Amino acid sequence: DTAVSQTPKYLVTQMGNDKSIKCEQNLGHDTMYWYKQDSKKFLKIMFSYNNKELIINETVPNRFSPKSPDKAHLNLHINSLELGDSAVYFCASSQDLTSGYTGELFFGEGSRLTVL
Amino acid sequence: GNSVTQMEGPVTLSEEAFLTINCTYTATGYPSLFWYVQYPGEGLQLLLKATKADDKGSNKGFEATYRKETTSFHLEKGSVQVSDSAVYFCALSARGNKLVFGAGTILRVKS
């Protein structure tokens, strides 16, 4: 049973389209994250939710909108896709960040987005 | 703010060579330190961690020691294998704060 699962694994689309990536975790964690990894492997945090509440919102274009319907799910919707959005997007989860947890993050396998 | 600096790659080694990947950090307070590994086509996974000064984290033959005096957490392995080829990320987390990653170091091991 996969702990953190993301769908789709690959996504190829045209500029200007809108797309979504879904993430689910079955670890019982309270905090979930979205990271973006560029072609040079640099990893940048985008958002974090704790118990469905947004707690981290880095400088990300507002074309990106996360949604957490419950604490086990965190989806990422991207409007008006641009070439520069091509990257691998990783979902992750951890125990409650807001209560001072400083331990391990569990990552999904990533969703590779290619914008043509 | 908190930050992590790790050596640039790619690092290319022959099988059974000794590995060191340097990592230094800047942080207020006393952060926890981590090494994550990303195998090709996969997400990141925790390799090892240390939560206080002089702690040594170890796993799968890798080890790193939390050195407060030099603000470092260098990753070492005595004898690398082809299967160790991956991207290695040093990271830190201060209490209640998000994990901060270094830029990642690509390791390639040749047989």
Side-chain angles (χ1 to χ4, degrees), chain A residues 9 33 35 37 40-43 45 56 58 90 97 99-109, chain B residues 32 34 36 38 41-46 49 87 89 93-99 101-103 106:
Chain A
K9 191 163 183 176
Y33 311 78
Y35 283 85
Q37 186 175 48
K40 294 185 179 176
K41 305 299 184 184
F42 185 76
L43 206 59
I45 190 168
I56 296 172
E58 296 292 304
F90 285 99
L97 186 64
S99 65
Y101 179 68
T102 58
E104 182 175 1
L105 260 63
F106 292 79
F107 283 81
E109 291 194 339
Chain B
S32 296
F34 306 84
Y36 279 78
Q38 183 182 21
E42 297 183 13
L44 281 73
Q45 55 185 276
L46 181 67
K49 69 177 184 183
V87 186
F89 293 89
S93 178
R95 190 165 182 82
N97 288 313
K98 64 181 187 285
L99 206 59
F101 285 96
I106 296 172

Side-chain angles (χ1 to χ4, degrees), chain A:
Chain A
D1 223 12
T2 306
V4 181
S5 57
Q6 314 179 209
T7 54
K9 191 163 183 176
Y10 299 98
L11 193 52
V12 180
T13 189
Q14 301 287 330
M15 264 196 321
N17 284 352
D18 303 338
K19 290 293 176 189
S20 291
I21 306 171
K22 296 186 174 182
C23 179
E24 175 181 2
Q25 55 96 1
N26 63 7
L27 297 168
H29 286 161
D30 294 297
T31 304
M32 295 184 72
Y33 311 78
W34 278 111
Y35 283 85
K36 179 181 180 181
Q37 186 175 48
D38 65 22
S39 58
K40 294 185 179 176
K41 305 299 184 184
F42 185 76
L43 206 59
K44 180 184 172 185
I45 190 168
M46 302 172 69
F47 303 102
S48 178
Y49 271 72
N50 187 73
N51 282 318
K52 304 193 298 175
E53 297 295 324
L54 182 66
I55 57 169
I56 296 172
N57 185 355
E58 296 292 304
T59 308
V60 175
N62 57 16
R63 297 182 295 104
F64 290 78
S65 51
K67 275 215 176 88
S68 182
D70 56 61
K71 75 173 195 177
H73 294 84
L74 180 61
N75 303 324
L76 183 66
H77 188 75
I78 315 170
N79 289 328
S80 304
L81 279 156
E82 300 177 358
L83 293 177
D85 298 332
S86 295
V88 181
Y89 293 84
F90 285 99
C91 178
S93 72
S94 74
Q95 291 180 22
D96 190 347
L97 186 64
T98 61
S99 65
Y101 179 68
T102 58
E104 182 175 1
L105 260 63
F106 292 79
F107 283 81
E109 291 194 339
S111 297
R112 181 176 292 278
L113 172 64
T114 303
V115 182
L116 304 175

Side-chain angles (χ1 to χ4, degrees), chain B residues 11-12 15 22 25 27 35 40 42 53 61 63 75 81 84 92 96 103:
Chain B
V11 174
T12 303
E15 223 170 3
N22 289 338
Y25 67 90
W35 277 100
E42 297 183 13
E63 56 183 39
L75 182 69
Q81 306 299 313
D84 294 326
L92 71 82

Side-chain angles (χ1 to χ4, degrees), chain B residues 28-108:
Chain B
T28 51
Y30 303 97
S32 296
L33 301 174
F34 306 84
W35 277 100
Y36 279 78
V37 59
Q38 183 182 21
Y39 298 106
E42 297 183 13
L44 281 73
Q45 55 185 276
L46 181 67
L47 180 60
L48 54 85
K49 69 177 184 183
T51 57
K52 61 184 190 298
D54 300 325
D55 267 2
K56 179 186 281 189
S58 60
N59 186 24
K60 299 182 181 180
F62 291 89
E63 56 183 39
T65 301
Y66 190 143
R67 302 274 188 216
K68 192 166 182 301
E69 64 277 9
T70 54
T71 62
S72 65
F73 193 54
H74 304 320
L75 182 69
E76 296 182 335
K77 186 175 186 183
S79 175
V80 293
Q81 306 299 313
V82 172
S83 57
D84 294 326
S85 298
V87 186
Y88 292 82
F89 293 89
C90 186
L92 71 82
S93 178
R95 190 165 182 82
N97 288 313
K98 64 181 187 285
L99 206 59
V100 175
F101 285 96
T105 302
I106 296 172
L107 171 66
R108 297 184 180 132

